[in-house]
Amino acid sequence: MHQLGILYANKGEVDEAIALFNQSLEITESIGNVQTKAATLHQLGILYANKGEVD
């Protein structure tokens, strides 16, 4: 899911990318994959910042 999120983000399909990153976050949390969780949170932060949704 994480890599798909990157592909969608690169295509400019931000809402779809966010949905995929959120799915990735759920999966990585359930299996305890800390590295991918961190990368996913990083990508979500970038997308929300680009959308102007960061305080």
Side-chain angles (χ1 to χ4, degrees):
M1 292 299 161
H2 180 85
Q3 294 298 327
L4 284 173
I6 291 172
L7 292 174
Y8 276 87
N10 288 340
K11 289 175 50 177
E13 298 180 25
V14 175
D15 292 330
E16 292 84 354
I18 289 172
L20 288 164
F21 284 129
N22 282 323
Q23 288 178 7
S24 174
L25 194 57
E26 289 178 24
I27 293 168
T28 57
E29 286 177 339
S30 70
I31 63 173
N33 185 333
V34 178
Q35 287 181 317
T36 303
K37 179 181 176 182
T40 299
L41 288 169
H42 177 78
Q43 292 296 328
L44 280 169
I46 291 170
L47 290 176
Y48 283 121
N50 289 342
K51 288 179 73 174
E53 296 183 18
V54 175
D55 294 332

